[in-house]
Amino acid sequence: MTDILQQDIMYLPGVGPNRKKLLAGELGIETFGDLLEYYPYKYVDRSKVYTIGELTGEMPFVQVVGRILSFETFEMGPRKERVVAHFTDGTGIADLTWFNGGKYAKQNYKIGTEYLVFGKPTVFNNRINFTHPDLDDAAKLDLSAMGLQPYYNTTERMKKAGLSSRSVERLTKTLISKLPPLPETLPDFIISTRFLMGRDEAFRTVHYPQNAKDLERARVRLKFEELFYVQLNILRYASDQRRKYRGYVFAQVGQVFNTFYHNNLPFPLTEAQKRVIREIRRDMGSGRQMNRLLQGDVGSGKTLVALMSMLIAIDNGFQTCIMAPTEILAEQHLQTIMDFLRGMPLRVALLTGIVKGKRREEVLQGLLDGTIHILVGTHAVIEDWVQFRRLGFVVIDEQHRFGVAQRAKLWGKSANPPHVLVMTATPIPRTLAMTLYGDLDVSVIDELPPGRKPVRTTHVFDSRMTSLYDGIRQQIRQGRQVYIVFPLIEESEKSDLKNLETGFEVLRQAFPEFRLSKVHGRMKPKDKEEEMQRFVSGATQILVATTVIEVGVNVPNASVMVILDAQRFGLSQLHQLRGRVGRGADQSFCILVTPYKLSEETRKRIDIMCETNDGFRIAEADLKLRGPGDLEGTQQSGMAFDLKIADIARDGQLVQMARETAQPIIDEDPECKSEKYTMLWNRLRELRKTNINWAAIS
């Protein structure tokens, strides 16, 4: 039965080779099934018929039934004409106007025949007017059965070739009339306990609903099914991993951990940090390999939690490794860890692209003979030539910069896969985390260290730079330091680099009494490091930079973050940049500078930033504004949301319901062999054969 849905779209009446090429090229529609899953983006109510006497120019799309009285043609220049049909239903006269296709209208629509006219009424010359309306022969329609009319997204190329939303609707109608009843893909026990519409009814209803209630039920059924199979696949994958891979058992918390805790801990742990360390400790002693995601806002103390977890591994005779996405962040981690461990007999080493020659050989040898306890590195760590004596614990920072395959490569460095702790300072909404990192257990540090004041965020138009400069001067005179960020988004954008260089000169002239540093991604690492160090040491008061400072820079004395052209940044990026300040005890400020003219979406982004410092609220808003595919990292991580109707951002409750439905099935049948669930496992195999990247989803 599924075979009919695999049939080539070319063989659907009304398509043929030319339209097939257009549908495949523009919308990816190649089979009957693809067309069936090309869902309408909106619906217009066709259940009510108005009279012309009731119409006004402010009404939305409406329909009236009547007859054409006559046609009139108006010349509009060479080979152009406007065709007007005068139309009546007995309560008044309306004009039907065509600027294009008038010739077709005159040839095909007959005077005196009763038509159902559908369109947007406007008023022209004191008369109701419909421009390019839809006309259907009223005698061939069952007006009582008309419900909501579907509208389908089309492209400019399709419209030029005569494939409008209406054409797609007609093709879909033809397809639905040809389809025999579609087989069910969810077992009865799920359909009945979740009160779902049947699959066949849902497909027919979603394209041609009678009313809003039926439409909602059909959409819930189709969305649930998509999300359910994604969750079933993720949970199956996670269950396989747990059964397949035994983890090293770290049985003791020993001398290294205790020495650090009693002598080196720089400040008391927050309750959230203690809770997360307990969760990690429980995993590492369980005998199964840990895969845990650690979420926490900028400055919440994730690195300290990661380090203390690494010390437990070292106490049990294992080496550890922390992998960062950039050299500057790897070097920052190295410095932070060495500061934390000062005076302790542990060897910490760096391995990045700039570690070469004799120094690199020493590091590789230290890893092989086990004398290096902690390795800090970039992607270089996963190269085949990097071998450990006994790797037991791996920390991956900013997971969204690394793909699933890269995470898996680390597993080959050890007899058993090491325990993995994935950290991110980009808070991920729970529904997205469930799908994006569905195979990971999630820990959250939802508390900032004591004494931290929330950063105050304000929005300033670029016409008020003079008063902004005065505020900056005031802060510096009180002994504070300032970041000024330019939107160099692509390192190759020469115009942006020029903006930074020009802007730097403007700022030097604006602040002749202060010293400035400059940092951007195209500088040599050595020069970048020197400039950063000058700012960190307090030798310069203002750091003019691009987004290279988004992660990894920790200057507690910096209390002002100015983001120029803030409209060019995404919400999560603005939040990351803001996290560079507010690390000391002083009140800190983030100033978002934009031009006056902003789009509505940008205004919403800026307002959210000014309203809240809560990274999770910001991430939820970002997800709603931009959708999962646009969020930083969902592409890089190998994430392939090939969802046709469900929306991770807006269907959070259904994601939760899908997971709650899938989990007991995996618990009961972890090897996918039970006859009770045959339908599910067969359907999952079928879906995995399609072009959906199901493996990447987990």
Side-chain angles (χ1 to χ4, degrees):
M1 173 49 52
T2 318
D3 290 346
I4 192 165
L5 295 183
Q6 299 304 321
Q7 227 171 300
D8 193 320
I9 196 70
M10 183 168 85
Y11 301 111
L12 183 71
V15 178
N18 291 340
R19 279 188 157 185
K20 182 237 164 109
K21 196 175 171 187
L22 203 56
L23 287 167
E26 296 295 292
L27 303 177
I29 294 174
E30 296 184 357
T31 65
F32 285 9
D34 292 338
L35 182 61
L36 194 62
E37 289 189 332
Y38 191 67
Y39 299 108
Y41 73 95
K42 73 168 185 178
Y43 301 82
V44 172
D45 190 355
R46 298 287 301 262
S47 58
K48 179 168 170 50
V49 177
Y50 289 82
T51 63
I52 292 173
E54 291 177 282
L55 301 183
T56 68
E58 285 72 52
M59 294 172 89
F61 281 77
V62 298
Q63 52 191 6
V64 292
V65 175
R67 291 180 167 79
I68 294 173
L69 297 170
S70 62
F71 282 99
E72 208 173 340
T73 303
F74 302 88
E75 296 300 324
M76 293 180 66
R79 294 192 299 176
K80 279 198 168 184
E81 60 181 24
R82 171 166 61 98
V83 172
V84 177
H86 304 298
F87 180 88
T88 184
D89 66 351
T91 70
I93 292 177
D95 287 342
L96 316 180
T97 304
W98 290 270
F99 293 96
N100 299 309
K103 194 174 174 187
Y104 174 91
K106 282 190 289 187
Q107 285 172 355
N108 288 274
Y109 301 135
K110 305 284 184 280
I111 291 169
T113 300
E114 192 172 54
Y115 290 107
L116 177 78
V117 169
F118 177 72
K120 169 83 179 73
T122 57
V123 175
F124 181 69
N125 285 345
N126 293 322
R127 188 181 277 186
I128 290 293
N129 185 72
F130 290 93
T131 304
H132 295 140
D134 286 340
L135 270 74
D136 288 291
D137 189 336
K140 293 178 182 171
L141 294 174
D142 176 4
L143 294 181
S144 65
M146 292 190 77
L148 303 178
Q149 175 163 339
Y151 276 72
Y152 299 84
N153 275 317
T154 54
T155 65
E156 282 308 310
R157 278 190 65 198
M158 289 173 69
K159 284 170 191 157
K160 279 178 188 163
L163 256 178
S164 61
S165 165
R166 192 71 194 274
S167 317
V168 175
E169 185 211 326
R170 287 191 181 113
L171 293 176
T172 307
K173 196 171 214 167
T174 303
L175 172 63
I176 285 173
S177 68
K178 283 175 68 72
L179 285 180
L182 294 172
E184 196 42 79
T185 45
L186 290 175
D188 285 344
F189 74 88
I190 292 180
I191 291 172
S192 58
T193 56
R194 294 301 183 188
F195 304 104
L196 298 172
M197 187 181 263
R199 180 173 179 244
D200 181 70
E201 188 187 354
F203 270 123
R204 294 172 197 273
T205 304
V206 83
H207 290 287
Y208 289 99
Q210 280 302 299
N211 53 56
K213 192 177 171 191
D214 287 352
L215 170 63
E216 184 54 23
R217 286 194 63 221
R219 285 168 66 84
V220 164
R221 157 62 208 243
L222 296 169
K223 286 178 178 189
F224 175 84
E225 179 171 339
E226 272 190 348
L227 294 167
F228 170 75
Y229 278 109
V230 169
Q231 291 299 330
L232 190 68
N233 188 56
I234 289 167
L235 293 170
R236 178 200 59 79
Y237 171 83
S239 165
D240 277 359
Q241 298 302 98
R242 288 189 186 119
R243 282 183 301 109
K244 214 179 286 180
Y245 299 111
R246 304 251 348 120
Y248 293 119
V249 178
F250 296 165
Q252 61 172 335
V253 173
Q255 189 184 348
V256 175
F257 182 94
N258 286 317
T259 302
F260 177 81
Y261 189 79
H262 294 297
N263 302 340
N264 285 47
L265 196 64
F267 41 76
L269 296 173
T270 63
E271 286 307 313
Q273 285 174 311
K274 288 177 187 170
R275 183 187 69 241
V276 170
I277 291 171
R278 281 197 298 272
E279 289 168 353
I280 293 168
R281 170 91 183 86
R282 196 164 52 240
D283 279 358
M284 295 193 303
S286 69
R288 69 178 180 84
Q289 189 237 353
M290 177 178 84
N291 274 301
R292 187 166 282 280
L293 172 68
L294 175 56
Q295 293 195 70
D297 242 327
V298 176
S300 60
K302 295 184 299 297
T303 309
L304 181 58
V305 166
L307 175 61
M308 291 175 76
S309 308
M310 290 159 98
L311 297 180
I312 296 172
I314 293 166
D315 266 330
N316 286 272
F318 286 87
Q319 292 164 290
T320 67
C321 158
I322 180 163
M323 195 160 89
T326 63
E327 288 182 358
I328 197 168
L329 186 51
E331 286 162 22
Q332 181 89 29
H333 276 317
L334 179 77
Q335 195 55 55
T336 305
I337 288 169
M338 287 174 82
D339 288 346
F340 276 141
L341 297 176
R342 191 156 285 140
M344 292 184 68
L346 294 177
R347 189 175 167 200
V348 185
L350 179 72
L351 186 62
T352 67
I354 58 169
V355 178
K356 293 192 165 75
K358 188 162 180 287
R359 200 170 143 215
R360 173 173 285 199
E361 281 170 33
E362 284 171 4
V363 171
L364 295 178
Q365 187 54 44
L367 293 174
L368 264 180
D369 62 28
T371 55
I372 289 176
H373 301 95
I374 298 175
L375 178 69
V376 182
T378 52
H379 292 76
V381 171
I382 60 174
E383 297 298 339
D384 293 339
W385 41 265
V386 180
Q387 295 298 324
F388 293 78
R389 180 163 177 264
R390 207 177 183 212
L391 179 65
F393 190 88
V394 173
V395 179
I396 300 176
D397 195 15
E398 291 305 329
Q399 154 70 20
H400 65 264
R401 310 282 180 96
F402 298 104
V404 177
Q406 288 167 311
R407 202 196 320 162
K409 266 191 107 168
L410 280 164
W411 294 11
K413 305 273 179 198
S414 193
N416 276 358
H419 295 295
V420 176
L421 181 68
V422 167
M423 299 199 300
T424 179
T426 309
I428 302 159
R430 191 155 180 274
T431 53
L432 185 59
M434 249 187 248
T435 311
L436 186 55
Y437 301 124
D439 60 321
L440 302 177
D441 298 310
V442 180
S443 288
V444 179
I445 302 181
D446 48 9
E447 186 182 351
L448 288 177
R452 290 271 176 94
K453 290 179 182 158
V455 179
R456 260 189 226 149
T457 305
T458 51
H459 177 205
V460 172
F461 293 119
D462 53 16
S463 54
R464 300 196 53 221
M465 292 304 280
T466 311
S467 60
L468 174 59
Y469 288 165
D470 289 341
I472 290 172
R473 274 190 202 92
Q474 214 175 331
Q475 284 290 309
I476 296 174
R477 285 185 185 128
Q478 289 172 23
R480 316 273 181 268
Q481 287 167 280
V482 177
Y483 294 104
I484 299 180
V485 176
F486 279 80
L488 181 63
I489 291 163
E490 295 291 332
E491 297 295 4
S492 60
E493 280 187 38
K494 291 199 175 91
S495 62
D496 276 346
L497 192 57
K498 192 159 154 259
N499 288 348
L500 177 77
E501 301 289 359
T502 313
F504 184 68
E505 285 310 314
V506 169
L507 289 165
R508 267 194 11 191
Q509 286 164 27
F511 299 105
E513 69 272 45
F514 302 128
R515 291 184 300 280
L516 284 72
S517 285
K518 174 176 62 177
V519 174
H520 59 79
R522 293 176 78 181
M523 289 167 74
K524 289 178 180 161
K526 185 169 161 287
D527 297 343
K528 202 189 305 180
E529 188 57 38
E530 274 175 23
E531 289 287 292
M532 289 296 309
Q533 282 312 123
R534 287 175 66 214
F535 186 66
V536 171
S537 67
T540 54
Q541 288 84 38
I542 299 174
L543 177 63
V544 181
T546 63
T547 53
V548 292
I549 60 145
E550 181 187 343
V551 286
V553 186
N554 186 10
V555 185
N557 191 47
S559 66
V560 181
M561 167 63 71
V562 178
I563 304 172
L564 301 174
D565 281 331
Q567 76 281 1
R568 290 183 62 185
F569 295 88
L571 264 175
S572 61
Q573 208 173 21
L574 289 172
H575 182 60
Q576 288 276 332
L577 286 167
R578 176 168 63 186
R580 298 297 109 215
V581 295
R583 290 168 166 257
D586 300 310
Q587 178 62 59
S588 290
F589 304 90
C590 176
I591 293 104
L592 308 175
V593 182
T594 71
Y596 187 74
K597 201 174 176 187
L598 295 173
S599 70
E600 195 183 333
E601 189 183 302
T602 305
R603 238 170 242 286
K604 275 186 195 162
R605 277 211 307 271
I606 302 290
D607 288 348
I608 290 161
M609 286 298 297
C610 294
E611 281 164 22
T612 183
N613 282 290
D614 182 337
F616 286 94
R617 259 194 70 195
I618 287 164
E620 289 281 3
D622 207 13
L623 188 58
K624 286 198 168 102
L625 283 171
R626 298 203 285 162
D630 292 331
L631 282 189
E632 186 182 6
T634 55
Q635 260 91 359
Q636 299 98 306
S637 64
M639 183 60 207
F641 287 113
D642 200 343
L643 300 175
K644 302 276 175 45
I645 189 167
D647 180 325
I648 298 287
R650 292 172 181 83
D651 298 322
Q653 281 180 303
L654 282 175
V655 174
Q656 183 72 44
M657 189 164 101
R659 195 173 184 86
E660 286 168 2
T661 308
Q663 187 67 64
I665 294 166
I666 294 293
D667 293 344
E668 191 182 323
D669 185 19
E671 294 185 21
C672 312
K673 289 180 178 172
S674 166
E675 278 186 34
K676 181 179 172 185
Y677 301 121
T678 302
M679 176 192 279
L680 298 179
W681 306 132
N682 287 345
R683 178 65 176 156
L684 197 56
R685 270 183 224 108
E686 215 173 88
L687 289 167
R688 288 169 67 87
K689 279 181 203 162
T690 66
N691 60 358
I692 297 178
N693 194 349
W694 289 83
I697 286 180
S698 56

